[in-house]
Every structure is written in C-alpha cells, then in structure tokens.
C-alpha cells in the first residue's frame, strides 16, 4: 500500500510538471499580490531548521523570493545564477530567498525526504541563501495557487510585495536586469 502511494505521488508530480510547464516561460506574469499587498506576519523554518519571520525582509531594500520545487529542472538550473546574483548585489541592498514549495506539509516522512533532497540541491549548487519551507498559512496565502514554477516575486524592506511576478527560469544576465529594474522602483 505504501509503495502504491509513492507511485501515485510520483505520477501526480510528473503530471503537475507537464501541466505547469515547470517554468520554461521567460516573461513577466504581471503583479500578483494578496489583498493587502504585504506578505504579513509569518514564521518559516529553512531546510536546516533555522527560523525566519517577515523581519528577514527588513534587512534589505529588496528581496527576490524564488519559489521552486526540487523536481523542477529549470528551477534547479537557475539556483547557481541566483547564488551569484545574491553575492553580486548584496552591497546594493538586495537579498535572495528560496521557498521550496514541495516541502510544504506532507503526510508521514515524505516531507523529510524532500527536505533532504533540498539540502543536497543547496550543497550541489553552492546556494548559501536560505531555502525556506512554507508555513501552514503559505505565507499568508501568497504561495497558494502557484501553478507554475519557478515563480519569483519581490518584497521591499517594509514587507510590501512590489513590482512584477516572474514565471519561468532566467539566466544571470536576465536576473541582473530584472533586479535592477525592480530595485529602481523601490528607491523612487
């Protein structure tokens, strides 16, 4: 019975990857915010067990929030570029945070298996920015309804969701241009 559940889970994940396109579009999806336009209060752990709250956004002018899954190839391929971006733009007040969507509460030990996979991805890609596990409220609903990954949005130091939401993976140069545009918008 347990094997059947695992097989069904794998089939479901594969179907979702095919249906969502996994994120091969390289275009802005338009602004997507909750009704308040803020991320609100939350508490999430990262894959190492460290606790983060909405206060993490107050440390920088702009935070790029990259929502991805461990099974999405385009998502995984862009992690090294996001790490480079994080290092390059830290002096300009820009941070990167990853949210590992498929680590959201799952029954039994499945969540732990995915967290271990995310740890391995962080190690293999050299990512030093936090990989967060969604909280029960899915960051006050902001993470609900994401139907294609990776999805990236931006948060300013006051916790406001700003700029555009981007669906699909991007290379380092594209990310630089996007972040510079979004950073200009928060500094106006």
């Amino acid at each position: 019975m347990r094997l059947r559940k695992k097989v069904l889970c794998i089939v479901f994940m594969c179907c979702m990857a095919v249906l969502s396109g996994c994120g091969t579009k390289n275009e802005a999806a338009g602004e997507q915010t909750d009704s308040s336009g803020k991320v609100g209060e939350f508490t999430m752990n990262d894959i190492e067990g460290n606790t983060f709250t909405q206060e993490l956004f107050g440390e920088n002018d702009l935070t790029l929030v990259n929502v991805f899954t461990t099974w999405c190839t385009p998502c995984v391929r862009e992690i090294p570029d996001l790490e480079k971006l994080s290092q390059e733009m830290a002096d300009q007040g820009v941070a990167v945070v990853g949210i590992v969507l498929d680590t959201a509460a799952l029954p039994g030990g499945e969540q732990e298996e995915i967290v271990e996979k995310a740890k391995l991805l962080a190690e293999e890609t050299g990512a030093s920015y936090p990989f967060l596990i969604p909280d029960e409220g899915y960051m006050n609903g902001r993470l609900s309804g994401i139907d294609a990954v990776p999805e990236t949005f931006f948060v300013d130091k006051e916790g406001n969701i700003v700029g555009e939401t981007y669906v699909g993976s991007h290379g380092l140069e594209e990310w630089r241009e996007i972040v510079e545009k979004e950073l200009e918008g928060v500094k106006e």
Side-chain angles (χ1 to χ4, degrees):
M1 187 67 162
R2 186 173 180 163
L3 177 61
R4 184 172 183 219
K5 283 184 180 180
K6 283 186 177 186
V7 169
L8 287 174
C9 184
I10 291 170
V11 169
F12 173 76
M13 290 167 98
C14 290
C15 288
M16 291 302 295
V18 170
L19 292 175
S20 72
C22 192
T24 56
K25 285 175 26 182
N26 283 333
E27 59 186 72
E31 188 170 354
Q32 294 180 358
T33 62
D34 66 7
S35 59
S36 69
K38 287 187 155 298
V39 292
E41 294 183 13
F42 65 85
T43 301
M44 290 190 222
N45 290 327
D46 71 0
I47 59 174
E48 300 298 332
N50 302 306
T51 301
F52 291 84
T53 68
Q54 67 283 352
E55 293 176 9
L56 87 107
F57 299 121
E59 299 171 11
N60 296 283
D61 292 327
L62 186 69
T63 302
L64 179 154
V65 181
N66 180 256
V67 184
F68 70 97
T69 60
T70 59
W71 49 263
C72 168
T73 302
C75 299
V76 172
R77 279 192 202 137
E78 79 176 345
I79 292 172
D81 286 337
L82 290 172
E83 174 62 25
K84 288 176 190 169
L85 184 77
S86 173
Q87 298 299 320
E88 288 178 11
M89 302 203 80
D91 292 342
Q92 296 177 45
V94 177
V96 174
V97 171
I99 298 181
V100 192
L101 196 58
D102 57 334
T103 60
L106 295 170
E110 291 178 50
Q111 181 183 25
E112 289 178 25
E113 290 174 25
I114 295 171
V115 169
E116 289 302 315
K117 187 174 179 181
K119 287 180 184 179
L120 185 60
L121 283 175
E123 182 181 322
E124 289 177 351
T125 60
S128 62
Y129 59 89
F131 283 11
L132 303 179
I133 298 169
D135 61 344
E136 288 181 14
Y138 281 81
M139 191 183 258
N140 295 304
R142 175 55 187 86
L143 306 176
S144 298
I146 292 177
D147 59 1
V149 289
E151 179 175 299
T152 303
F153 61 95
F154 294 88
V155 180
D156 70 10
K157 65 173 37 182
E158 281 83 38
N160 297 307
I161 299 170
V162 297
E164 295 184 36
T165 297
Y166 297 84
V167 177
S169 62
H170 301 277
L172 181 59
E173 193 56 43
E174 289 174 296
W175 277 125
R176 280 185 192 125
E177 291 174 17
I178 290 168
V179 169
E180 287 171 8
K181 176 185 125 189
E182 298 296 346
L183 188 58
E184 187 176 302
V186 297
K187 290 190 173 185
E188 291 179 342

